């Protein structure tokens, strides 16, 4: 059997999957996707979780590039990074479309 080499694209897809691998981060993305921008306090308020926890989730999403944050002292404004969101969407679509399950033949 041939060895599989991990591609940079697979590594990128895995980072997106990890960032979206927590329900709170998915909720944050849903929340931000419906707005052009949102302030940290609003996100913490609607999620009804501790601010340090919100900060950690935002950090994870920001590190992978799915969201952007801008400091407007004393507030921080967040929004979806549309270019990266489209990249993730394309990569996930390709990943799911490449599955052999669409032929309904599996072991």
């Amino acid at each position: 059997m041939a060895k599989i080499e991990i591609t940079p694209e697979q590594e990128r897809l895995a980072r997106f999957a990890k960032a979206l691998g927590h329900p709170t981060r998915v909720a944050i993305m849903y929340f931000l996707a419906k707005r052009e921008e949102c302030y940290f306090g609003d996100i913490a308020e609607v999620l009804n979780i501790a601010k340090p926890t919100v900060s950690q989730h935002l950090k994870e999403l920001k590190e992978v590039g799915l969201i952007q944050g801008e400091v407007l002292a004393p507030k921080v404004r967040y929004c979806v990074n549309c270019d990266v969101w489209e990249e993730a969407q394309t990569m996930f679509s390709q990943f799911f479309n490449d599955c052999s399950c669409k032929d309904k033949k599996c072991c």
Side-chain angles (χ1 to χ4, degrees):
M1 180 179 274
K3 295 203 183 244
I4 296 175
E5 299 222 8
I6 306 299
T7 67
E9 292 80 14
Q10 290 168 332
E11 289 178 5
R12 181 92 166 129
L13 181 61
R15 285 194 298 272
F16 287 141
K18 182 180 178 194
L20 294 170
H22 192 285
T24 299
R25 291 193 288 271
V26 172
I28 289 169
M29 291 305 301
Y30 268 111
F31 183 73
L32 290 176
K34 295 178 184 199
R35 291 156 182 77
E36 287 187 27
E37 63 184 36
C38 187
Y39 290 94
F40 172 82
D42 297 331
I43 298 168
E45 187 177 309
V46 298
L47 290 175
N48 197 28
I49 57 177
K51 288 182 180 182
T53 304
V54 173
S55 290
Q56 184 59 38
H57 288 302
L58 290 169
K59 178 183 173 203
E60 294 283 334
L61 293 168
K62 192 173 177 187
E63 282 180 357
V64 76
L66 290 171
I67 64 171
Q68 302 175 92
E70 180 181 11
V71 177
L72 301 169
K75 298 180 177 184
V76 180
R77 179 174 62 190
Y78 290 95
C79 65
V80 173
N81 182 336
C82 294
D83 292 335
V84 177
W85 183 251
E86 288 175 14
E87 176 189 1
Q89 182 180 19
T90 299
M91 292 178 86
F92 277 112
S93 292
Q94 183 178 7
F95 174 70
F96 288 118
N97 286 331
D98 286 347
C99 180
S100 63
C101 292
K102 59 185 167 192
D103 296 331
K104 304 287 184 201
K105 296 176 188 171
C106 190
C107 55

